[in-house]
Amino acid sequence: MSTSVSSSTTHEALRLFRAIYAAVRHHLQSIERRCGASGAQVWALALLARQPGMRVTELADAMAIHPSTASNLLAKAEKAGLLRRERSQADQRVVKLYLTDAGSDTLAKAPEPVAGLLPDALARLPQDVLLRLSGDLHTLAKSMAVQEDAAGRPFSDL
């Protein structure tokens, strides 16, 4: 068997990536039209609705993004009145996040899945398929010289 991949296989993989990307983009646009908030903000609101009092770092971990990215996302949501920050009574250094009534109303308008199409679909895959996909995407990222994920964590060998 040849180690080179046929042009038609390459084109099919590229076509599928583009179709997935287009579906994700369409869903995010739908969220923004219906809610007036970005898809990432709505996902954050959904996480806070399920677990009120999360910290920024916990939310960043749940969304697989860098804490500074989460902080920027939350600052915009807070400015829009969708969430509030409260300092912990026990430790004033700890800031906890809570939905406001406006945040709950925004979340109620959001089309499903509120986490987004891709995270939802990945969560529903059987474990063996997800492991195989993860390994294959790791190989792709490595061949593209991608060194870290969106959270700024370096990729490790599987």
Side-chain angles (χ1 to χ4, degrees):
M1 182 170 141
S2 172
T3 57
S4 67
V5 179
S6 76
S7 177
S8 64
T9 304
T10 301
H11 287 140
E12 179 63 10
L14 188 56
R15 189 182 70 76
L16 287 167
F17 268 112
R18 286 181 176 147
I20 290 166
Y21 179 77
V24 167
R25 189 178 66 243
H26 177 74
H27 183 71
L28 291 174
Q29 290 168 344
S30 173
I31 288 173
E32 192 148 357
R33 275 193 308 276
R34 286 178 65 172
C35 302
S38 73
Q41 287 174 334
V42 169
W43 185 11
L45 296 176
L47 291 169
L48 292 174
R50 275 185 249 142
Q51 191 178 340
M54 290 179 89
R55 297 185 214 173
V56 174
T57 54
E58 294 169 330
L59 188 73
D61 284 344
M63 295 179 75
I65 58 177
H66 196 275
S68 65
T69 303
S71 187
N72 291 335
L73 172 105
L74 295 169
K76 289 177 185 174
E78 184 178 30
K79 186 175 181 181
L82 303 176
L83 62 89
R84 70 180 190 284
R85 299 172 195 248
E86 289 182 12
R87 295 217 175 262
S88 168
Q89 296 294 336
D91 184 347
Q92 289 291 302
R93 295 171 296 176
V94 175
V95 176
K96 296 186 176 192
L97 304 165
Y98 299 91
L99 287 184
T100 61
D101 289 342
S104 294
D105 292 345
T106 297
L107 185 56
K109 295 176 199 172
E112 290 292 335
V114 293
L117 288 180
L118 192 54
D120 180 69
L122 290 170
R124 289 184 288 110
L125 288 176
Q127 187 68 16
D128 63 322
V129 173
L130 190 56
L131 284 169
R132 189 171 59 248
L133 177 61
S134 181
D136 292 344
L137 289 172
H138 186 274
T139 300
L140 177 62
K142 193 173 182 180
S143 77
M144 294 172 64
V146 175
Q147 309 233 340
E148 60 184 38
D149 66 12
R153 294 179 299 239
F155 284 119
S156 60
D157 291 327
L158 293 176

